[in-house]
Amino acid sequence: MFAEQGEAMTIPDKKGYFGQFGGRFIPETLSCCVDELNEAYREIKKNKEFRGELKNLLHTFAGRPTPLYFAGKLSRLFGIKVYLKREDLLHTGAHKINNALSQALLAKYMGKKRIIAETGAGQHGVAVATVAALFGFKCDIFMGEEDIRRQKVNVSRMRILGARVVPVSSGTRTLKDACSEAMRDWVTRVKDTYYLVGSTFGPHPYPLLVRDFQSVIGKEARKQILRETGRLPEYLIACVGGGSNAIGLFHPFFKDKKVEFIGVEAGGLGIRRENSASLVAGHVGVLHGTKTYVLQDKFGQVKNAHSVAPGLDYPGVGPEHAHYAKSGRARYVAVLDREALEGFSLLSRQEGIIPALESAHAIAYLKKIKPRRKNAVAVVCLSGRGDKDLDILQEYEHDD
Amino acid sequence: MTIEETFRVLAEEKKRAYIPYLPCGFPTLAHTEKLILALQDAGAHVIELGMPFSDPLADGKIIQDATAQALRNGMNQDRLFSLLEKIKDRIKIPLVVMTYYNPVFAFGVENFLSRMKQAGVEGLLVVDLPIEESREYVRTAERYGRTPIFLATPTTTASRLEKIFALAKGYLYYISVTGITGPQSLPERDLSRRVGQLRKKAGLPVCVGFGIHTPAQVRSIARFADGVIMGSELVRFIALHWQKKDFFSRFSRYVRTFVKEVAGPYV
């Protein structure tokens, strides 16, 4: 579950910095609860009972381990061996449940009564509503009005599960504003409330904690690909919004220097137009508690992000990705809305798997890879399934 | 006058400080200059000037809407400092810029403080820059002779307070409630006890902000705090009346109803 002692654990440092990125930029009111969380997390890592309970829930409730599937038709098409890490098969339909389950269990150990979360695509919201039902927490999910419109099915699922979906009407009415509103709620109710952050952003220790909880993806994938092919892959490919599925896949391969990490951001309508590609098109700044690459104007005002995939529609990115980008450990590229939609139908038609529009970005990048060797292997994180995206697809078909 | 001198004079006169907050660029760019001067004329002792940010985490709906409006009006750091430079000679009371870290960081911490100095702005309060991240900022502020102001809240632990006291200058901004800006009722008895303890230890004047929106609240908080900070209520008033013909005289009268509540005498 957790990274073993001494294994690539030099980052982040004590103040939560991955190189020059990360840290803790929060209003004073939140300092105490972030400290409390940091302390609780350090304790819980050593707690055998917690680890056992979590392992059991990930297995019996969420459905881990997920399979690593050899996508034969895609492989022939691209001249590269493509393996899909099937996070889409998890309970609730995406990798988000790994983190939600782990943090909710942590919240239970901390004695919290209420859980709040932000959501964009609604996948994290559904995962949180699910674990709140499981553990009996009161649960409020903050969601931008624009996303509520785009992801109706997930809104219904959250309500069925007993969560309250709080519409956010400020700013761009998407994930960015849902985060701000969740943080405002947290500031107001710090004592009884646990803020269950959905990706590898936010103030320290969230980027660390979410990374650790999502690393189960890469740990399994590493064992599976070694078993399957007898060697490490050439490429790891994952979509990056906040970047939790990507860091979860990448991190356990950190020391395997020959494995190339490729993070696929949402290029939206184009890199010079509206997009969500913070690493490709952004500048260093501070958003939602962390120093990272941010889509912003020269005065530091945060820009609207855009992506066909609501889960990538965020103008910042996890600080560990910022560090990977700066240090060259990973390469970040952008895939346009149009290309992602092609990836979406490609995987659906060729392999019989309907991917989430977020994950379709990673699929779409496959055709751009020029393999360094024959029989090169790529592991792609299929972070979620596409059932939630049917309304969006209809909109796009009408637009065409 | 500096912040320090202002509080010394107030103490001698047995008065408290009334500190209004004004989001710059709201309701229009042209209003900011006149509103600053109107606040000074109405008797404000310090003015906190909000440099708007697109994602104001600690602000409630009233200030969120006002700062979004200010950004749509085209407010930015260059415009703010130019307008303050223009009125510099007419300003007799200390000014404090209150903002979030990203607008300071994007503009350059050093550049920001240097422009503050040129514009005669004494204090800077960065809402989302806690002590852990403040070392370089405080050093740069010192180099430019600016005053870094820090926040303390009901959730701030004793050990954090020690560290805040070591860095804070000017006055300590005590946040009345665990929450965001905007009108609400306040737990005055707890507040009085907490502020009393802080005044003994801080070595600085302690001013209370967040939630304060009535003359009665101003009066009762002035009994135990060195200053009373008011934001959302003034913004609400401006938003409601700015298009009326006699707006500025109405505004001045309104501000005076609060200023007179801090006149004392307080022992």
Side-chain angles (χ1 to χ4, degrees):
Chain A
M1 176 78 267
F2 301 103
E4 283 75 38
Q5 298 290 321
E7 175 206 314
M9 289 308 326
T10 48
I11 55 172
D13 67 13
K14 265 191 176 161
K15 287 170 114 183
Y17 276 89
F18 303 85
Q20 67 180 93
F21 304 101
R24 188 186 269 187
F25 297 85
I26 44 171
E28 176 60 26
T29 307
L30 292 180
S31 287
C32 72
C33 33
V34 172
D35 278 338
E36 182 196 11
L37 175 63
N38 199 29
E39 202 48 46
Y41 180 55
R42 276 177 23 193
E43 287 297 311
I44 214 80
K45 274 204 240 191
K46 298 177 229 151
N47 185 327
K48 280 210 177 106
E49 193 191 333
F50 174 86
R51 295 170 64 151
E53 197 174 344
L54 181 55
K55 198 174 169 192
N56 181 47
L57 283 168
L58 284 169
H59 178 55
T60 59
F61 185 74
R64 301 215 71 91
T66 59
L68 187 71
Y69 167 71
F70 176 64
K73 281 164 123 182
L74 286 194
S75 299
R76 276 196 297 282
L77 198 59
F78 297 123
I80 181 173
K81 286 186 162 178
V82 179
Y83 287 86
L84 303 177
K85 181 61 176 160
R86 299 291 309 273
E87 297 298 295
D88 62 315
L89 293 176
L90 285 170
H91 181 39
T92 71
H95 72 292
K96 294 291 183 188
I97 193 77
N98 301 327
N99 170 54
L101 202 49
S102 312
Q103 283 199 59
L105 190 61
L106 173 58
K108 190 181 115 180
Y109 274 69
M110 288 171 77
K112 299 288 178 182
K113 303 280 179 250
R114 173 176 177 257
I115 284 191
I116 58 167
E118 83 294 338
T119 196
Q123 288 303 95
H124 176 56
V126 168
V128 172
T130 299
V131 297
L134 175 69
F135 292 119
F137 290 116
K138 278 182 84 172
C139 179
D140 287 342
I141 307 286
F142 295 87
M143 189 169 185
E145 282 180 344
E146 175 64 14
D147 289 333
I148 289 181
R149 189 183 65 76
R150 289 197 287 182
Q151 306 270 265
K152 288 192 201 88
V153 178
N154 275 345
V155 174
S156 303
R157 291 166 81 194
M158 288 184 262
R159 287 184 177 144
I160 289 167
L161 290 159
R164 195 165 68 106
V165 178
V166 185
V168 176
S169 60
S170 56
T172 56
R173 296 177 289 131
T174 61
L175 181 55
K176 164 177 90 94
D177 306 285
C179 285
S180 299
E181 207 51 39
M183 288 181 97
R184 289 186 189 110
D185 179 284
W186 196 27
V187 170
T188 310
R189 300 186 56 176
V190 289
K191 285 267 173 344
D192 71 333
T193 296
Y194 184 94
Y195 178 22
L196 208 162
V197 170
S199 193
T200 56
F201 57 75
H204 176 63
Y206 280 113
L208 164 68
L209 189 146
V210 177
R211 189 243 357 237
D212 287 353
F213 288 144
Q214 289 292 6
S215 289
V216 66
I217 301 173
K219 278 180 194 161
E220 284 177 12
R222 197 172 181 283
K223 275 187 206 142
Q224 289 165 322
I225 196 73
L226 284 172
R227 199 185 307 135
E228 189 76 18
T229 66
R231 62 185 182 87
L232 290 166
E234 271 69 29
Y235 306 103
L236 300 180
I237 306 172
C239 65
V240 175
S244 70
N245 88 88
I247 212 71
L249 177 66
F250 295 169
H251 181 68
F253 291 84
F254 182 79
K255 286 196 166 170
D256 304 320
K257 296 294 177 203
K258 287 194 171 157
V259 180
E260 189 179 339
F261 300 168
I262 303 171
V264 185
E265 293 197 300
L269 301 173
I271 288 309
R272 286 168 203 285
R273 298 172 61 194
E274 281 176 49
N275 62 69
S276 301
S278 316
L279 289 163
V280 173
H283 301 280
V284 179
V286 170
L287 179 64
H288 294 138
T290 191
K291 186 183 278 186
T292 184
Y293 287 87
V294 177
L295 297 175
Q296 54 183 323
D297 68 15
K298 67 169 179 162
F299 290 108
Q301 305 299 344
V302 180
K303 285 194 204 165
N304 294 355
H306 162 81
S307 169
V308 63
L312 303 182
D313 201 343
Y314 181 70
V317 64
E320 193 162 9
H321 285 295
H323 176 61
Y324 278 8
K326 185 89 180 177
S327 64
R329 180 64 189 90
R331 190 154 63 83
Y332 295 88
V333 296
V335 153
L336 304 178
D337 283 353
R338 179 171 44 77
E339 298 170 305
L341 289 164
E342 284 167 21
F344 178 90
S345 60
L346 181 76
L347 192 68
S348 305
R349 299 282 172 91
Q350 296 295 319
E351 301 285 350
I353 299 171
I354 302 177
L357 282 171
E358 291 76 15
S359 325
H361 283 74
I363 299 294
Y365 190 72
L366 282 168
K367 70 171 182 197
K368 301 191 180 178
I369 287 187
K370 295 182 185 67
R372 284 171 288 165
R373 53 168 282 187
K374 216 174 158 235
N375 290 326
V377 172
V379 173
V380 181
C381 188
L382 195 63
S383 56
R385 65 177 93 124
D387 316 24
K388 69 184 177 63
D389 293 321
L390 303 183
D391 285 344
I392 298 181
L393 286 161
Q394 266 177 1
E395 269 181 44
Y396 271 77
E397 277 163 16
H398 285 303
D399 286 354
D400 282 353
Chain B
M1 265 202 297
T2 64
I3 294 173
E4 198 182 330
E5 286 161 359
T6 301
F7 280 98
R8 198 172 54 230
V9 170
L10 284 167
E12 281 164 10
E13 294 174 350
K14 299 189 167 54
K15 287 179 182 167
R16 308 298 200 208
Y18 176 70
I19 307 179
Y21 163 91
L22 185 70
C24 295
F26 173 80
T28 73
L29 292 180
H31 272 79
T32 299
E33 177 184 330
K34 288 185 196 163
L35 285 168
I36 294 171
L37 293 167
L39 285 168
Q40 174 174 266
D41 292 346
H45 301 98
V46 178
I47 304 174
E48 291 184 349
L49 299 168
M51 167 60 221
F53 176 48
S54 52
D55 296 78
L57 286 183
D59 285 304
K61 188 91 175 76
I62 295 173
I63 292 179
Q64 277 178 48
D65 289 349
T67 53
Q69 173 78 48
L71 288 174
R72 281 196 298 274
N73 291 339
M75 195 61 198
N76 63 40
Q77 295 86 326
D78 277 330
R79 287 197 164 127
L80 174 65
F81 290 126
S82 313
L83 106 86
L84 293 174
E85 276 163 34
K86 206 176 90 191
I87 56 171
K88 188 176 167 183
D89 295 335
R90 292 150 74 190
I91 302 294
K92 310 294 174 208
I93 59 175
L95 300 180
V96 172
V97 168
M98 185 167 183
T99 188
Y100 291 81
Y101 189 50
N102 206 42
V104 179
F105 180 75
F107 201 67
V109 175
E110 179 141 7
N111 192 29
F112 200 97
L113 285 154
S114 137
R115 290 292 297 274
M116 278 177 53
K117 185 173 182 179
Q118 275 176 44
V121 178
E122 183 187 337
L124 180 58
L125 199 174
V126 186
V127 177
D128 56 348
L129 199 64
I131 40 173
E132 292 84 355
E133 301 288 351
S134 291
R135 192 181 294 185
E136 193 206 321
Y137 149 73
V138 168
R139 253 203 304 259
T140 314
E142 263 168 31
R143 220 165 55 240
Y144 285 91
R146 302 303 95 188
T147 301
I149 292 168
F150 282 86
L151 300 156
T153 76
T155 61
T156 307
T157 57
S159 66
R160 286 186 68 80
L161 279 174
E162 293 295 322
K163 293 178 194 155
I164 291 171
F165 296 158
L167 291 177
K169 301 265 171 61
Y171 55 90
L172 184 72
Y173 187 135
Y174 184 71
I175 296 182
S176 60
V177 287
T178 52
I180 53 177
T181 58
Q184 55 187 300
S185 62
L186 299 173
E188 278 163 26
R189 192 176 297 171
D190 291 353
L191 201 52
S192 148
R193 197 175 51 232
R194 176 86 165 163
V195 171
Q197 291 162 352
L198 289 173
R199 287 176 84 196
K200 275 183 211 141
K201 291 184 194 152
L204 288 174
V206 177
C207 301
V208 176
F210 279 40
I212 301 164
H213 63 291
T214 67
Q217 282 177 321
V218 173
R219 191 182 325 138
S220 70
I221 288 166
R223 283 192 202 109
F224 54 80
D226 297 289
V228 182
I229 304 164
M230 182 182 279
S232 297
E233 173 55 23
L234 295 180
V235 175
R236 187 196 63 80
F237 186 88
I238 297 168
L240 198 62
H241 298 291
W242 71 277
Q243 282 165 313
K244 293 178 184 153
K245 233 195 302 180
D246 59 345
F247 166 64
F248 282 100
S249 58
R250 260 177 203 250
F251 181 68
S252 296
R253 274 201 308 279
Y254 190 63
V255 172
R256 284 199 175 91
T257 61
F258 297 112
V259 173
K260 78 175 168 35
E261 300 296 351
V262 298
Y266 296 96
V267 187

